[in-house]
Amino acid sequence: MTQPFSPAVLERLGNAQRVTAFTGAGISAESGVPTFRGTDGIWSKFRPEELANMNAFMRNPELVWEWYAHRKRVIAEVQPNAGHHALVRLEQLVPQFALITQNIDNLHRRAGSVTVYELHGNIERNYCMACGRTMSNEEVLATPGVPHCSSCGGMVRPDVVWFGEMLPEDEWEKSVRAAESSDFFLSIGTSAVVYPAASLPLLARDQGACLVEVNPERTPMTDNVDEFLQGQAGTILPALVRALEGIRAGRD
Ligand code: BV8
Ligand code: ZN
């Protein structure tokens, strides 16, 4: 099969010292997790911005919890796919690697990625809004409706970043540092419309990184990348990693 990327990209990746991968919902699509702005998924009738925010939650916590309980159950049944596994292998092949994800599905960690920065939280975690006590999905999904804290009775929410909320400072700081210092930056499966996360790829490019986008469709970022690898992450990433292994084998 012809390689879906140019020799120049392979050369840059082969010489890269600090590689950063930045992922969105698209890398989990082949695992069966509906994307946000795609046409799939039974929740496509709601825009994420209408449900993933504090106002919606305070106005109708039952509906927001019904949405999250559904997503928690979907994510509990899925497995990481070839795209997630390729990034685990890439982390082993390069001198320095960081994986910045907007996804809350925990699939990168489940695949075995080590250096993972979760910008928008993790759907497997929940906390009490009154006392901060953390609760597992088993606890919160045991009863239908809005879960309440077993210690203080406060209302419990998923540990994800809603629209209008700040990103976790530590994860954000580390992600900016990784973007600023990388010499090769892969933007994978993201529509690049949610800020401030979407500012990271261009920050990397402006600092001199080779910016490569992996997506079946063009995005608002596509015109600004060094190379657009059009296709599915589950196909392109394993091919890219195999080619890199070939270079490594040729050198050793
Ligand atoms: C903040 C967690 C600051 C919850 C999420 C106006 C202009 C600019 C910005 C704003 C604005 N108004 C408001 C804002 C800020 C806002 C924002 O950016 N809004 C956008 C919508 C305009 N951002 C925020 O509110 C952020 N906080 O700015 O705070 C602040 C706060 C207080 C005081 C001062 C300042 C918080 C944003 C975080 C929101 N939380 N998720 C949950 O999941 O329930 S965001 C949500 O969107 C997910 O995290 C998701 O990851 C993220 C981005 O979506 P994508 O991952 O890109 O997914 P999408 O479906 O869009 O695209 C999938 C892509 O995959 C597609 O391109 C598709 O082609 C591709 N694909 C499909 N199949 C495959 C594939 N690719 C590869 N392989 C395949 N097989
Ligand atoms: Zn509590």
Side-chain angles (χ1 to χ4, degrees):
M1 163 191 150
T2 52
Q3 289 177 341
F5 37 81
S6 70
V9 159
L10 202 48
E11 164 87 13
R12 290 286 300 263
L13 180 56
N15 295 325
Q17 295 303 305
R18 289 172 308 286
V19 175
T20 300
F22 173 65
T23 63
I27 196 168
S28 298
E30 291 162 84
S31 292
V33 182
T35 60
F36 285 86
R37 295 162 188 88
T39 51
D40 60 352
I42 58 168
W43 290 87
S44 53
K45 59 180 182 293
F46 293 103
R47 282 173 357 107
E49 295 78 14
E50 287 166 9
L51 281 173
N53 71 63
M54 179 62 86
N55 297 335
F57 184 67
M58 298 318 281
R59 203 174 38 245
N60 189 344
E62 291 76 13
L63 174 65
V64 174
W65 259 107
E66 187 187 337
W67 186 49
Y68 280 98
H70 167 74
R71 291 171 67 196
K72 285 168 183 277
R73 291 192 178 97
V74 166
I75 287 168
E77 299 303 314
V78 303
Q79 299 300 327
N81 64 58
H84 296 104
H85 292 301
L87 292 182
V88 175
R89 183 71 187 116
L90 183 60
E91 183 166 23
Q92 298 160 349
L93 284 171
V94 299
Q96 280 186 43
F97 182 84
L99 203 170
I100 305 166
T101 188
Q102 301 170 91
N103 298 342
I104 61 172
D105 57 31
N106 205 37
L107 287 178
H108 286 301
R109 282 223 178 80
R110 284 181 50 199
S113 288
V114 176
T115 307
V116 179
Y117 303 141
E118 290 174 325
L119 291 182
H120 295 158
N122 186 317
I123 203 165
E124 294 183 2
R125 293 195 305 261
N126 311 277
Y127 65 88
C128 168
M129 296 167 76
C131 73
R133 182 175 178 280
T134 56
M135 291 171 78
S136 70
N137 278 351
E138 288 68 35
E139 285 179 272
V140 300
L141 295 181
T143 51
V146 180
H148 286 80
C149 174
S150 48
S151 303
C152 76
M155 194 143 73
V156 172
R157 61 168 284 177
D159 186 6
V160 298
V161 178
W162 280 332
F163 286 98
E165 294 188 320
M166 296 300 278
L167 275 55
E169 202 160 328
D170 190 34
E171 308 288 279
W172 176 246
E173 291 290 316
K174 289 176 187 164
S175 301
V176 169
R177 266 206 299 282
E180 283 177 338
S181 62
S182 54
D183 42 20
F184 195 93
F185 193 99
L186 277 163
S187 180
I188 305 159
T190 182
S191 57
V193 295
V194 175
Y195 286 82
S199 62
L200 292 171
L202 296 187
L203 172 65
R205 191 208 53 186
D206 294 349
Q207 305 280 335
C210 173
L211 176 57
V212 174
E213 182 179 33
V214 177
N215 198 313
E217 295 163 21
R218 300 183 68 82
T219 70
M221 189 191 342
T222 306
D223 290 340
N224 298 311
V225 302
D226 293 293
E227 184 134 338
F228 175 48
L229 304 182
Q230 186 153 15
Q232 300 207 318
T235 308
I236 289 183
L237 293 177
L240 194 60
V241 167
R242 269 196 303 276
L244 181 60
E245 284 172 327
I247 294 178
R248 290 279 187 272
R251 282 186 189 163
D252 300 348

